[in-house]
Amino acid sequence: QVQLVESGGGLVQSGGSLRLSCTASGVFLDYLVIAWFRQAPGKEREGVSCIGSTDGETFYTDSVKGRFTISRDNSKSTVYLQMNSLKPEDTAVYYCATVKSMGKDYCLGYGPAPRNWGQGTKVTVYS
C-alpha cells in the first residue's frame, strides 16, 4: 500500500524559503506521478505542482512559477518542493498525492481524483 508522508513545513518570513519533502513507502517512487496541493484556511484545495514518473516533466500553477521548484530523488523515494520568495498568500497546509498522469488537469486535481494523500505539512508565511 502506498503511503506518502510530508515534512518540512514551518514558519517563515515573507521572502524566505522552505523545502518540503514527500517520502513514499510501500511502492517504488519511480512509477508514480506526484503532485503537491495546498489548502489555505477558508479556501478550496488547489494544485501547486507535479512531476512526472520517468522523464522528470514538471508542471506549476501560475502563482508559483519562478518561485517553486519540484524535483525527485527516486533513490530516496522522495519528491521535494523548494519554495523560494515566499509570500503570505502561500500560507496553507501542503499535501502530496499521486495522480494518474502528467498534464494540467491531472496536476490541478481536475482529472481522476488524486490518491494516497499524506497528512499534510503546514506552511505559514508572515509579513
Side-chain angles (χ1 to χ4, degrees), residues 5 19 21-25 27-30 72-80:
V5 177
R19 188 178 77 160
S21 299
C22 171
T23 301
S25 61
V27 69
F28 289 112
L29 188 69
D30 310 44
R72 65 194 299 153
D73 185 341
N74 290 339
S75 69
K76 296 182 178 179
S77 295
T78 300
V79 169
Y80 303 99

Side-chain angles (χ1 to χ4, degrees), residues 3-4 8-9 23 26 37-38 50-52 56 63 70-71 77-78 87 90 95 100-101 107 113 115-116 118:
Q3 184 175 10
L4 302 178
T23 301
F37 296 86
R38 66 185 180 185
C50 64
I51 187 165
S63 61
I70 191 170
S71 62
S77 295
T78 300
K87 305 175 181 179
D90 294 317
Y95 302 89
K100 186 177 177 63
S101 181
C107 292
R115 302 177 62 184
N116 306 304

Side-chain angles (χ1 to χ4, degrees), residues 6-10 12 16-23 36 67-73 76 78-84 86 94 121-123:
E6 303 94 338
S7 61
V12 63
S17 299
L18 284 174
R19 188 178 77 160
L20 306 184
S21 299
C22 171
T23 301
W36 283 97
R67 300 189 298 122
F68 291 11
T69 302
I70 191 170
S71 62
R72 65 194 299 153
D73 185 341
K76 296 182 178 179
T78 300
V79 169
Y80 303 99
L81 186 67
Q82 178 67 44
M83 306 187 298
N84 298 329
L86 283 162
Y94 285 71
T121 186
K122 187 174 182 179
V123 172

Side-chain angles (χ1 to χ4, degrees), residues 90-103:
D90 294 317
T91 294
V93 178
Y94 285 71
Y95 302 89
C96 60
T98 59
V99 294
K100 186 177 177 63
S101 181
M102 285 297 297

